[in-house]
């Protein structure tokens, strides 16, 4: 029997009904409003408790508040619940990182984007149409060409940046024609030469570092004039879903290492909740 039309939906879908949780909201605001330079590192806010008490609802509410009140702050919410996350994101840290990268900024992240493309080629992806973002499809195509030897690489130093600029225009067409892109072209060309000689395991080991370095670049997640310490907020919903109930602590530590590494590398500018 269908539910009567006058009954409200799930609480997590009814943010207009949100109430209470004032201490948690105040802690969130305290760190979000911290002036730039006032903290050596941002904390990680952890809301915990038994299932069903409203933790996910709180994260959704805080994210919406960001959109209403702090419009300049980049936000991502990655959901590991069985209902909210695909198996790829839950089971493969590479896809989880790609989800964060895709939602947090439209700006270039060449270290991560190219590494992701090379990984997909090495992992046996045959068709770029299976990738869900234009930049991922383009990076896959570039990596495929490099691995097959069809893209000659010129020296990364000096004025010869033809390959770097050519790939830049493919990856980030919205930048075409802009001035002052030499550093970006150099980074792209250097990454192509490095990634060409790496195996899957070697690329995976550096993937968190690559995304962190990209997000630290000036203007990628916030304007350089930002007055707040927190330049972005990443909400992580239901982290415990990464391991079944009978998973050992050591196994969970291994499966979440990528996230802990990312927090450590971005704790001066990204607030994790």
């Amino acid at each position: 029997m269908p539910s009567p039309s006058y009954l409200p939906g799930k609480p997590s879908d009814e943010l207009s009904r949100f109430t209470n949780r004032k201490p948690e909201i105040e802690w969130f605001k305290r760190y979000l409003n911290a002036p730039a330079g006032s903290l050596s590192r941002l904390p990680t806010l952890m809301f915990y408790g038994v299932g069903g008490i409203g933790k996910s609802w709180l994260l959704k509410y805080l994210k919406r508040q960001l959109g209403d009140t702090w419009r300049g702050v980049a936000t991502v919410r990655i959901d590991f619940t069985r209902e909210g996350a695909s198996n790829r994101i839950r089971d493969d840290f590479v896809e989880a990182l790609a989800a964060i990268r895709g939602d947090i900024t439209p700006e270039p992240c060449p270290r991560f984007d190219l590494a992701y493309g090379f990984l997909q080629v090495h992992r046996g992806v045959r068709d770029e149409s299976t990738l869900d973002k234009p930049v991922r499809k383009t990076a896959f195509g570039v990596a495929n060409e490099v691995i097959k030897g069809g893209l000659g690489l010129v020296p990364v130093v000096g004025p010869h940046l033809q390959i770097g600029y050519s790939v830049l225009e493919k990856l980030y067409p919205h930048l075409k024609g802009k001035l002052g892109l030499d550093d970006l072209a150099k980074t792209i060309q250097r990454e192509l030469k490095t990634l060409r000689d790496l195996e899957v395991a070697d690329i995976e080991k550096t993937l968190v570092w690559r995304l962190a370095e990209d997000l630290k670049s000036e203007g990628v997640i916030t304007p350089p004039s930002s007055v707040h310490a927190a330049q972005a907020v990443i909400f992580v919903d239901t982290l415990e879903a990464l391991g079944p109930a009978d998973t050992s602590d050591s196994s969970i530590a291994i499966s979440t290492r990528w996230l802990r590494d990312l927090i450590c590398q971005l704790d001066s500018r990204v607030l994790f909740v």
Side-chain angles (χ1 to χ4, degrees), residues 34-52:
S38 63
L39 299 170
S40 60
R41 58 181 294 275
L42 288 163
T44 298
L45 295 183
M46 176 74 76
F47 301 124
Y48 63 93
V50 298

Side-chain angles (χ1 to χ4, degrees), residues 97 111-112 206-217 261-262 264-266 269:
L97 287 171
R111 298 173 185 85
F112 181 85
T206 64
L207 206 58
V208 169
W209 172 83
R210 290 175 181 279
L211 180 58
E213 287 300 301
D214 284 330
L215 296 181
K216 290 175 186 176
S217 299
D261 288 346
L262 188 65
C264 289
Q265 295 192 41
L266 291 175
R269 64 190 68 215

Side-chain angles (χ1 to χ4, degrees), residues 163-180:
I163 296 297
Y165 266 102
S166 174
V167 174
L168 188 159
E169 292 181 357
K170 292 178 181 179
L171 282 175
Y172 314 114
H174 64 288
L175 296 179
K176 187 175 182 179
K178 288 190 175 183
L179 301 177

Side-chain angles (χ1 to χ4, degrees), residues 3 39 41 109 112 116 145 165 168 194 196 205 213 232:
S3 300
L39 299 170
R41 58 181 294 275
C109 291
F112 181 85
Y116 182 87
E145 194 173 352
Y165 266 102
L168 188 159
T194 299
R196 178 183 55 178
K205 288 177 183 176
E213 287 300 301

Side-chain angles (χ1 to χ4, degrees), residues 33 45 52 55 57 91 117 132 170 217 232 234:
N33 288 325
L45 295 183
K55 300 185 297 298
W57 198 14
D91 299 337
D132 60 351
K170 292 178 181 179
S217 299
I234 296 179

